[in-house]
Each structure stands twice: as structure tokens, then as C-alpha cells.
Amino acid sequence: EVIDTSLGAIGTIGLARALVKNQRLLELNLNENGIGDEGLSFISTVLQTNTTLRVLKLQHNTLTEAGIEILRRGLMVNKTLLTLDLSYNWINDESTTMMTTILKPAATLDTLSLHCGKTSLETLKNLISVISRNRSLKTFELTCDYIDTELARSFTEAYASNPHLITLTLHSLEIPKYYGAVLQEMRNLKSGGRLLNLYDQRIGDETLASVTSAAKMNQNLTAINLSGNNITDDGIIPMTATIKMAPDLTAISLSRNFLGDYGATALAEVLIVNKKLLYLNLGWNPLESQGTKALANALKSNKTLQSLILSYTSPGPQGIQALAQALSTNQTLNQLALRGVNLDCGMAGNVVEMVENNYGLVMLDLAENYLGDDVVEKLRDGLLMNGSLREINLCDNVFTARGVQILSEDQHLVKRVKLDFQFDWKRG
């Protein structure tokens, strides 16, 4: 390493001569030496004959397009250099264009760091195109004055389409912060990671498409957390094809998105073919009765799912009826959350049916609904018949004190089942 020694162009001459004779050096670090274009010309000459150097670091060396052109010539001949760091040289538009010629499919570089200054949109798009086709590059780091959302998306799509590129890092004041998390998770997927976690990143369908492409290359996924985003049916439907191909996937969380009936129906098809999924969270989505019915029908044949979260959705009477019918045959689901789904006295019979006819449920969340005293005796009788349920959440319904008393007076029931009440006086 010859770091920050003000080596300059003259000092580089002697170093280059030594490198011609030395055929064992693997790494050369010339960061912060101000060698400039003239000094780089000597290093480029060495690259044309050297067969051992693997790493060349040239950060902070005031290189211009003339020096980059000289370096390009050396790299076109050299077939052994793997890592090139040109960070903090403020490479301009012409220099960036020169670098793209190095990244053709036949290149050998597997790690490249660039720090671009004023680079045109056309040049950056050309760089994106080259990256998508390059077959040697495994790590690419780019710092650029201007990478907006559209360019970041294009870089991400190129990253997703190139199975050889494992790490892509983008730095720019203009780039949305969430792209850092997206690129990190895509790197995790390409490296064989088992968890995809993009919780609360506000990503939309187009960004999800790139993540989906990266996920296709991964057969090790066990859990997906995409809650708190802006994903719609158009985004999740293509991803379900990838989910079906993940043999070890056990958990999917998609709460707080914009999934409707079409998206829920596509996920119901996953439940039919997937034999290992244990947890599915679709809460806080605008899915309605058709989507709920599709999920209920899937439960009739699914024998593995243990937890289904549908809180703050709109299943309607038809959806609740379908769930009740499905639970009469499905005995493997042990947690069902229907908090805040507008259950009222008209759907109370189906709620009782769920309790009476299912012997797999352990926890049932019915909080924040409109269940009242008219269902309390039937619900109590159903709970007495059910031998598996251990917890039922009835907080913030419209029971009066009398209804709470009826449910709580049976000591055998109280000992066996945890009954949660929180009387909401405003609603009651």
C-alpha cells in the first residue's frame, strides 16, 4: 500500500519499473497520491504486461477523461485484474462512456467502483444497458450527482435481470432512501438469503417487479415481509408465481398494502399448492367478500396453514359465511384474526358456527366489531362445546355489562379460555 504519500506522477515512474519486474504482487493501493493522468499512464503500461495483479485502487487521484482513456487501453489487454476502484475522481461523461467499453461481456473485472460527476442521462442509460449484459461483474458501486427515481428503478431492473451481479450500491442525493433497503434485500436474495424483509419501505408495483426477478433466483426463501408498502393486485399477482416456486416458504406478511380481491385470489392459489406455509397476514388491505371466499375455499384443501390474519378487511356476510364453512372441515388453522371487520348481529351465527364446529382453533381475534348481547348465550354454549380454543379477544364490541357477565359466570369456561373484554362506552 502506498496511500496518501503524495507520490505524484514522478514517483509513479519508479513504482511502475518495479512492478514490471515483480510478478507476484496481488494488490496495489495508490489511493490519495495525486498521480494524475501522467502517473496513470505508467500504471496502464504495467497492466498490459502484468499477469498477477488482482486489485488496483486509485481513489482521489485527480484523474480526467484522458487518464481514463489510457487506463482503458491497458485494461483491454489485461485479463487478470479483478477489482478496480476509481472512487472520488469525479469522472465525467466522456470518461463514463469509456468505462462502459471495459464492461462488455468479455471483460474480466468482477468489482468496479466509480464516482461520476456531471454525467448525461444517455450515458447513464448506456451504462445500465451494459451492466444488465455483463457476465463477469459481481460488485458495482456508483456514486453520481444525479440518480433520480426513474434511473434508480432502471438500475434496479438491470440488477435484477443479471444473475451474475451480486451487489449493486448507488449513492446520490436525489435517489429515494428506500432504494438502499431494496438493493440490500436483492443482494440478500441473490446471495441465497432466507428472509425477504422490505417492511414499511413504501415500495410500489414496479420496484416489487425487480425484487420478484431477484427472488426467482433464490430457492431458499422461508419468509417474506412486505407489509407497509404500496403494493396492489398488479404487483402481487406476478409475485405469486415466484412464491409457488419457493419450496421452503413458511411465512408471508402483506399487511397495510392495497391488495384487493384479485390479489387475495392469487394468494389463495398459493395456499392450494404450497405445503409448508404456516403464516399469512393480509390485514389492513381493501380485499372484500370475493377475496375472502377464495381464501376460505383454499382452506378446505390446505392442511398446513396455522395463522391467517384478515383484520381490518371487508369480508362482508358472504366472506364470513365462507370462512365458517371452511373451518368446519379445516382443523389445522389455529389462529384466525378478524379484528375490525364489521361483524354484526347478522353475521353472529357464522361466528358461533366457527366456534362450535372447529376443533383446531386456539386463538380467535374478534375485537373491534359490533357483536352484542344477542349472540352472547350462543357464543358461550359454542365455547363450552369447543375443546381447543384457548383465547378469544372480544375487546371493543358492543356487549353490555350483562353480556360480559353471562360469558364470565361459567367458572369452567373462564379457567379454560382466556376471555378478553374492554367495554367501549362510546360505542356501547
Side-chain angles (χ1 to χ4, degrees), residues 11-172:
T12 310
I13 297 174
L15 179 62
R17 289 172 179 170
L19 289 174
V20 170
K21 298 178 181 179
N22 187 322
Q23 291 295 317
R24 293 182 296 177
L25 187 68
L26 298 177
E27 179 175 344
L28 177 59
N29 190 338
L30 293 175
N31 290 343
E32 302 181 47
N33 273 287
I35 67 174
D37 296 341
E38 184 180 357
L40 185 59
S41 67
F42 301 119
I43 300 299
S44 180
T45 301
V46 171
L47 288 175
Q48 295 182 39
T49 57
N50 184 281
T51 59
T52 60
L53 196 64
R54 298 291 184 269
V55 179
L56 177 58
K57 297 181 179 180
L58 295 167
Q59 291 185 18
H60 289 289
N61 273 293
T62 61
L63 305 178
T64 70
E65 65 269 18
I68 297 300
E69 170 60 18
I70 294 170
L71 177 63
R72 184 189 69 82
R73 294 171 187 170
L75 290 174
M76 295 301 287
V77 177
N78 183 285
K79 301 300 180 185
T80 57
L81 191 70
L82 300 177
T83 299
L84 176 60
D85 188 351
L86 293 170
S87 302
Y88 304 103
N89 280 289
W90 293 100
I91 296 171
N92 64 11
D93 199 62
E94 292 181 11
S95 302
T96 305
T97 301
M98 294 172 192
M99 290 305 301
T100 59
T101 63
I102 300 172
L103 298 174
K104 297 298 182 181
T108 57
L109 278 178
D110 68 12
T111 302
L112 177 62
S113 298
L114 290 179
H115 198 143
C116 299
K118 294 182 178 179
T119 306
S120 70
L121 180 62
E122 182 179 354
T123 299
L124 287 173
K125 286 184 176 180
N126 186 35
L127 180 61
I128 291 169
S129 176
V130 171
I131 288 174
S132 67
R133 299 194 306 270
N134 182 278
R135 293 297 175 261
S136 66
L137 206 60
K138 294 182 175 62
T139 300
F140 180 53
E141 181 176 9
L142 176 66
T143 301
C144 190
D145 281 359
Y146 184 75
I147 303 178
D148 62 5
T149 301
E150 181 180 353
L151 276 174
R153 184 182 301 124
S154 296
F155 270 111
T156 305
E157 290 171 354
Y159 180 32
S161 66
N162 187 337
H164 306 280
L165 185 61
I166 303 302
T167 302
L168 173 65
T169 306
L170 301 175
H171 302 288
S172 175

Side-chain angles (χ1 to χ4, degrees), residues 219-235:
Q219 296 296 310
N220 301 315
L221 271 180
T222 59
I224 294 175
N225 186 355
L226 292 171
S227 295
N229 287 290
N230 297 320
I231 300 168
T232 71
D233 292 348
D234 291 338

